[in-house]
Amino acid sequence: MRVLNLNQIQFGTQIRHRFESRLDLGPDQRKAVQFMEDSERFDEKSFSNGDVYIGMIKGILPHDKGKYTWSDGTVYEGDWEGEKMTGKGLIVWLSGAQYEGEICGGYLHGYGTLRTSAGCIYRGGWKMNAQDGIGLKQYSNSDVYEGLWKEGVPEGSGRYTWKNGNMYVGNWKNGTIDGRGVMKWVNGDTFDGFWLNGLMHGSGIYNFGDGSLYIGTWNKGLKDGKGVFYPAGSKHPSLKKLHSLHDSDDNGVLLNIEKHEAPKASVKRSLSENIPVISRFKSFRQISHRTSSMKINLIRNDFAQDCVCHDSSLSNVFGEDQPEASVKSTLVYEREYVQGVLIMERISECSESSRKKNQQNKFSVKLVKKNSCLDIFEDRRSYYLKLNLQLGIRYTVGKITPVPAREVRSSDFGDRARIRMYFPRAGSKLTPPHCSINFYWKDYCPMVFRNLREMFKLDAAEYMMSICGDSGLRDLSSPGKSGSIFYLSKDDRFVIKTVNKSELKVLLNMLPKYYRHVGDHENTLITKFFGLHRITIRGGKKVRFVVMGNVFCTELQIHRRYDLKGSSQGRYTDNDKINCNTTLKDLDLKYEFHMDKKLRESLLKQISLDCKFLESQHIIDYSLLLGLHFRAPENMKAFVEHHESMQRQENLPSGDEEEHLILPKGLLLVSHEPSIVNTAPGPHIRGNTLRAYSMGNSEVDLLLPGTARLRVQLGVNMPAQATRNIEEDKVEAKEVELFEVYDVVLYMGIIDILQNYNLKKKIEHAYKSLQFDPITVSVVEPKIYNERFLKFLEEKVFPDTP
């Protein structure tokens, strides 16, 4: 289809040249020419290149209405202004395509309808020859898209209906499904959740056509992580509660599949009428944008029932029949997947009485809940605190960054080394107006933390954009008993935690030696601190917080999180409190991790150095935060082969068109290649690339086939083999774990390093020693804590491989 532009329609210059050649005319002749230029008349003009114009001419230029025919057969008939097509008109191309609508400056611009020779019809907004704004497009294969466009592709909210009846309502980005949305298949299956590049990615709810339901998480189209399966006929969770959980994600509002229909009266529904999970084969569905139409790689609907049966296979092993809808007590299946492979299932009973009991317990907990430091902000406390953080950090970093770099001095440390500023709501000469409440800001040791950020290779602009950008900060649930409030930057690089007065003093006192320790040990696993601040509001109430690096800043899914202290008293988590985001404890760990000899040696050596430093500062109660990313077992290749055979049957795309499809093939150690490895900015930039014994003591990268190539650093992207401790694993009869050995990628760091062994802790140790074995309690003197911590890691967590 020929697209018109200014170069094609500014033909008035050809006419103008004829008159410019008459500069040698006399005064009377020039007056006659000027009169002709000012007059309007109907005329026909033919040009040497074969183009023809018939219509109104004002002077030497087309004006008002006219018809222009190009030598190649393209025809425009409509409004003109000067030498440009401007207004409303009709363009017909030789191919048979035609556009009727608004035009500006020779471009399709405004509202119009385009019909292509292939049979596609688009009605809607245009901007500079590209679809832009609200529009509806009917593709030649009878697919229909209605929604927002940007630069010629769907962008924003929209509804896409396929010829076979499948429908998606939700967000689009650059022509592909991306963000929050609802997909409804013609077989009755529905998915409500988050998408990335046309694949299910993030949390979601999958409702099968037979009424069964799965609530869980996906990663690039595959189930990945923990979820819950509700069989057909069982009582599903509250639809309202589940939707409120989705909406709290700050990733968009819930989209209803009936969004564009007339509003209906509000009624209570079971979740089976709404939205759902994907089975192993359906998880390979992928949607991609094509110039002719939007296509989705769907496996035939015949396999919908196979997927349901496959997803319920473990239920049949236990001989459990599907409960009737009238039964108030039902079985639910807590499951865990790794790249689409089911690795664990636990059967639990969910009844009305237990549900009511849990609700009562939750209510009673709220009644006696300890006041948070954020209660001082009343109803909008979280919003005010986050806004104050952003204002203060933006001011501090902007003030300290232009200062010439220098070595820190003793005067840069301590409580008196600070930047203070008052932020009135209306603004001042030094501060901008804002929507929060008036507050005082204090930044501790600004020069020290500026040098620490540079030492950790963080750019000041990136640091400010990550925390102070428009996307803002996200709330995190507190994993501990301290009552601290946690925030996470939108790019997952930084964690912000509130600290009490004693913790602030510990950090200030420790800071000079901490600065020296992290400077001497590039691979330290101790928490990376980037800033220490305080907010004071009306009444003199203070909130203190520290900015730290996120140990789990990675593109990989973290399937398990552990907080390991080396103690055993009270170090377990109740089963009813465990969910996909729970941080587990020492007694919950049922794996030991075997890694390359050289990697293990480097890891334990650095942990020993870090613990020796903490002991010298009289610090206790620290822990190793350990994150696990599981890789799908190698013996699931049959599943992959089955998918490949299905792909051949359906003539699905292969090669580059399926670059987002991830097939589990374990992990590999390969020689380090700086030019190939991922180097995305984050808190893990600093640190050496590790050497592996199995690779001839050379630097290595971690290759995850189909996923990424990652640089192996201490505590970051560390490959290992997780072996389940079967003899020590006391599991319920209704819990089944399908594998005993997994390939895993480990992420770790030493956290909670702001608790010293003071008088209060000594009294706590004496009291608990009267009740329990003194060596099993968490609170012990620093030297014993250090020895016990290292022994636990060396013998129980990272044992030496025979």
Side-chain angles (χ1 to χ4, degrees):
M1 180 180 71
R2 178 176 180 177
V3 179
L4 301 181
N5 55 44
L6 288 173
N7 293 330
Q8 294 172 301
I9 59 175
Q10 289 178 346
F11 64 92
T13 53
Q14 302 177 36
I15 304 174
R16 189 183 299 111
H17 289 325
R18 299 181 183 182
F19 290 90
E20 289 175 351
S21 63
R22 303 177 185 180
L23 296 177
D24 56 342
L25 296 177
D28 294 339
Q29 293 173 317
R30 291 181 181 178
K31 287 182 180 179
V33 171
Q34 183 66 38
F35 174 78
M36 185 178 66
E37 290 178 352
D38 294 338
S39 64
E40 294 185 16
R41 65 191 187 281
F42 184 87
D43 201 353
E44 178 177 345
K45 293 288 183 181
S46 298
F47 302 96
S48 58
N49 62 357
D51 294 355
V52 177
Y53 173 77
I54 304 175
M56 298 299 297
I57 294 179
K58 183 177 181 180
I60 61 174
L61 302 175
H63 181 72
D64 197 15
K65 304 288 183 180
K67 180 180 180 180
Y68 194 96
T69 304
W70 281 264
S71 58
D72 64 358
T74 302
V75 178
Y76 168 75
E77 184 172 4
D79 296 336
W80 292 81
E81 184 176 318
E83 60 191 85
K84 302 174 183 177
M85 298 185 295
T86 300
K88 294 184 178 180
L90 172 67
I91 303 175
V92 180
W93 286 268
L94 184 63
S95 64
Q98 66 177 41
Y99 170 83
E100 183 174 7
E102 296 177 330
I103 299 174
C104 183
Y107 292 92
L108 310 186
H109 193 91
Y111 182 86
T113 301
L114 176 68
R115 303 173 186 271
T116 69
S117 57
C120 296
I121 302 174
Y122 172 81
R123 296 185 182 88
W126 292 82
K127 185 176 181 181
M128 303 293 287
N129 285 343
Q131 295 102 319
D132 198 278
I134 300 176
L136 183 148
K137 184 170 185 177
Q138 296 173 293
Y139 295 89
S140 57
N141 62 354
S142 299
D143 291 356
V144 177
Y145 172 79
E146 180 180 10
L148 295 175
W149 296 74
K150 185 177 180 181
E151 298 180 357
V153 296
E155 178 98 14
S157 299
R159 175 202 295 259
Y160 195 100
T161 305
W162 283 264
K163 178 182 179 181
N164 61 5
N166 297 333
M167 180 170 61
Y168 170 81
V169 179
N171 293 321
W172 295 75
K173 185 176 181 181
N174 196 30
T176 61
I177 293 177
D178 197 299
R180 182 69 180 278
V182 179
M183 174 70 77
K184 186 175 183 179
W185 285 273
V186 69
N187 65 352
D189 290 3
T190 316
F191 175 80
D192 176 14
F194 295 96
W195 301 74
L196 179 67
N197 294 328
L199 297 170
M200 290 170 287
H201 188 87
S203 60
I205 310 169
Y206 197 102
N207 199 348
F208 294 94
D210 68 347
S212 55
L213 177 77
Y214 180 83
I215 305 169
T217 57
W218 283 255
N219 191 299
K220 296 183 180 179
L222 300 174
K223 290 180 190 172
D224 203 356
K226 292 184 178 181
V228 181
F229 176 75
Y230 295 85
S234 63
K235 185 174 179 61
H236 296 160
S238 167
L239 175 65
K240 183 177 180 180
K241 290 182 180 179
L242 284 172
H243 282 183
S244 66
L245 289 175
H246 273 272
D247 294 338
S248 65
D249 244 341
D250 289 338
N251 288 316
V253 297
L254 178 67
L255 294 165
N256 193 305
I257 208 71
E258 265 69 23
K259 177 178 178 181
H260 299 286
E261 297 180 1
K264 300 179 181 179
S266 176
V267 294
K268 292 183 178 180
R269 303 180 181 178
S270 68
L271 191 59
S272 60
E273 298 178 39
N274 194 39
I275 329 173
V277 166
I278 219 142
S279 69
R280 297 180 185 174
F281 302 124
K282 286 186 182 172
S283 61
F284 287 101
R285 293 171 175 163
Q286 181 178 357
I287 301 168
S288 58
H289 177 68
R290 300 290 183 269
T291 55
S292 60
S293 69
M294 307 294 292
K295 297 182 180 179
I296 180 170
N297 303 337
L298 293 176
I299 295 176
R300 287 179 183 165
N301 295 332
D302 303 345
F303 286 92
Q305 297 302 321
D306 294 342
C307 294
V308 174
C309 296
H310 195 327
D311 219 347
S312 307
S313 58
L314 288 184
S315 307
N316 298 330
V317 172
F318 293 97
E320 299 292 344
D321 296 328
Q322 297 291 352
E324 297 296 329
S326 60
V327 179
K328 292 187 178 181
S329 177
T330 182
L331 296 179
V332 297
Y333 303 87
E334 299 174 10
R335 294 177 172 172
E336 183 168 9
Y337 290 85
V338 174
Q339 292 95 53
V341 177
L342 180 64
I343 64 170
M344 189 275 290
E345 181 175 82
R346 179 174 179 267
I347 301 177
S348 60
E349 187 172 346
C350 183
S351 63
E352 287 295 319
S353 59
S354 63
R355 187 180 291 113
K356 290 179 180 178
K357 182 178 179 181
N358 288 335
Q359 290 175 351
Q360 292 174 356
N361 290 338
K362 289 179 182 178
F363 178 74
S364 63
V365 169
K366 289 182 180 179
L367 289 178
V368 299
K369 183 179 179 181
K370 182 180 178 180
N371 288 337
S372 166
C373 62
L374 296 188
D375 289 342
I376 57 180
F377 289 95
E378 299 175 351
D379 294 337
R380 305 189 71 189
R381 57 187 180 271
S382 183
Y383 168 76
Y384 287 146
L385 179 61
K386 287 187 284 189
L387 184 56
N388 293 350
L389 287 174
Q390 293 176 316
L391 288 168
I393 291 175
R394 187 182 293 117
Y395 173 81
T396 297
V397 176
K399 186 177 179 65
I400 196 66
T401 300
V403 176
R406 60 172 175 80
E407 289 296 324
V408 294
R409 308 172 185 139
S410 59
S411 58
D412 293 324
F413 295 95
D415 183 42
R416 294 185 176 276
R418 62 187 183 270
I419 293 177
R420 301 182 66 179
M421 180 53 62
Y422 176 58
F423 284 80
R425 186 184 180 107
S428 66
K429 292 182 179 180
L430 299 176
T431 63
H434 55 85
C435 301
S436 184
I437 57 178
N438 300 341
F439 69 96
Y440 288 92
W441 172 264
K442 180 186 281 189
D443 184 76
Y444 293 95
C445 308
M447 181 57 73
V448 175
F449 285 105
R450 173 228 168 119
N451 284 13
L452 281 173
R453 290 192 293 269
E454 292 179 353
M455 188 185 299
F456 294 132
K457 301 183 180 180
L458 283 180
D459 180 73
E462 289 181 357
Y463 179 69
M464 276 200 298
M465 287 302 300
S466 177
I467 296 176
C468 308
D470 294 335
S471 55
L473 302 170
R474 289 182 290 162
D475 296 86
L476 280 180
S477 59
S478 175
K481 300 178 182 179
S482 63
S484 297
I485 305 300
F486 290 81
Y487 295 116
L488 183 66
S489 63
K490 271 291 184 178
D491 57 6
D492 294 341
R493 294 170 64 181
F494 306 103
V495 175
I496 299 176
K497 174 189 176 184
T498 58
V499 295
N500 57 39
K501 187 176 182 179
S502 63
E503 290 174 323
L504 181 140
K505 287 184 176 180
V506 169
L507 180 53
L508 287 176
N509 292 334
M510 181 176 64
L511 194 57
K513 293 185 178 179
Y514 170 87
Y515 184 89
R516 189 177 305 114
H517 179 80
V518 297
D520 294 340
H521 301 91
E522 189 175 18
N523 297 315
T524 180
L525 294 176
I526 288 180
T527 302
K528 297 177 175 65
F529 294 116
F530 303 121
L532 182 61
H533 317 286
R534 190 185 77 183
I535 291 173
T536 306
I537 60 170
R538 58 178 178 266
K541 296 177 180 178
K542 301 176 176 66
V543 181
R544 307 163 185 87
F545 57 90
V546 62
V547 182
M548 307 175 290
N550 180 16
V551 176
F552 299 146
C553 180
T554 172
E555 61 189 88
L556 302 182
Q557 172 92 357
I558 301 296
H559 298 104
R560 294 275 205 291
R561 297 170 176 83
Y562 292 95
D563 184 271
L564 306 175
K565 294 181 181 293
S567 58
S568 57
Q569 187 59 45
R571 299 294 295 166
Y572 64 91
T573 309
D574 295 334
N575 286 332
D576 58 350
K577 295 182 180 179
I578 296 177
N579 58 44
C580 59
N581 295 318
T582 302
T583 300
L584 303 174
K585 301 178 183 178
D586 301 62
L587 298 181
D588 302 318
L589 183 64
K590 54 185 178 181
Y591 303 100
E592 55 184 32
F593 304 97
H594 301 276
M595 58 178 64
D596 180 272
K597 177 181 178 180
K598 189 70 176 179
L599 297 183
R600 178 181 180 272
E601 178 183 310
S602 301
L603 175 64
L604 294 179
K605 180 181 179 180
Q606 185 60 54
I607 292 177
S608 178
L609 290 171
D610 290 338
C611 290
K612 193 169 296 183
F613 162 75
L614 295 175
E615 180 187 339
S616 69
Q617 301 301 302
H618 305 288
I619 301 297
I620 63 168
D621 221 23
Y622 50 87
S623 56
L624 182 75
L625 184 61
L626 178 65
L628 314 182
H629 169 77
F630 289 98
R631 300 302 295 175
E634 285 289 331
N635 57 359
M636 296 305 296
K637 289 182 178 178
F639 161 66
V640 177
E641 293 170 357
H642 179 80
H643 164 69
E644 291 173 347
S645 65
M646 289 303 306
Q647 177 178 310
R648 288 191 293 270
Q649 293 176 21
E650 293 296 320
N651 296 319
L652 296 179
S654 59
D656 294 338
E657 295 185 358
E658 276 201 321
E659 61 181 359
H660 298 294
L661 187 60
I662 302 174
L663 302 181
K665 294 183 180 179
L667 49 83
L668 300 170
L669 279 178
V670 294
S671 297
H672 177 56
E673 291 288 346
S675 60
I676 301 176
V677 73
N678 291 8
T679 56
H684 307 312
I685 297 177
R686 184 176 184 250
N688 297 326
T689 302
L690 296 186
R691 300 176 181 272
Y693 179 81
S694 59
M695 294 293 292
N697 207 29
S698 61
E699 294 183 342
V700 292
D701 295 334
L702 178 61
L703 181 62
L704 305 178
T707 304
R709 179 168 180 156
L710 307 171
R711 187 161 70 108
V712 179
Q713 299 170 262
L714 211 59
V716 183
N717 305 322
M718 296 191 70
Q721 194 171 70
T723 304
R724 191 157 62 99
N725 295 322
I726 302 176
E727 67 281 359
E728 299 178 5
D729 190 15
K730 298 178 181 179
V731 297
E732 300 178 19
K734 293 185 177 181
E735 179 175 328
V736 175
E737 186 158 356
L738 304 183
F739 307 98
E740 297 178 3
V741 180
Y742 301 92
D743 285 333
V744 295
V745 184
L746 303 179
Y747 296 85
M748 66 192 82
I750 298 176
I751 63 169
D752 296 338
I753 63 171
L754 300 181
Q755 181 60 61
N756 61 0
Y757 192 59
N758 52 25
L759 179 60
K760 180 181 176 181
K761 289 296 178 180
K762 292 177 181 178
I763 295 174
E764 181 182 346
H765 171 71
Y767 174 74
K768 289 186 176 181
S769 297
L770 297 175
Q771 298 176 300
F772 312 104
D773 183 354
I775 199 63
T776 65
V777 298
S778 178
V779 182
V780 293
E781 61 180 64
K783 184 176 181 180
I784 297 177
Y785 194 98
N786 177 13
E787 294 172 351
R788 183 183 64 186
F789 183 72
L790 289 174
K791 182 179 180 181
F792 174 71
L793 296 181
E794 291 177 3
E795 297 180 1
K796 299 294 184 180
V797 184
F798 308 110
D800 190 14
T801 303

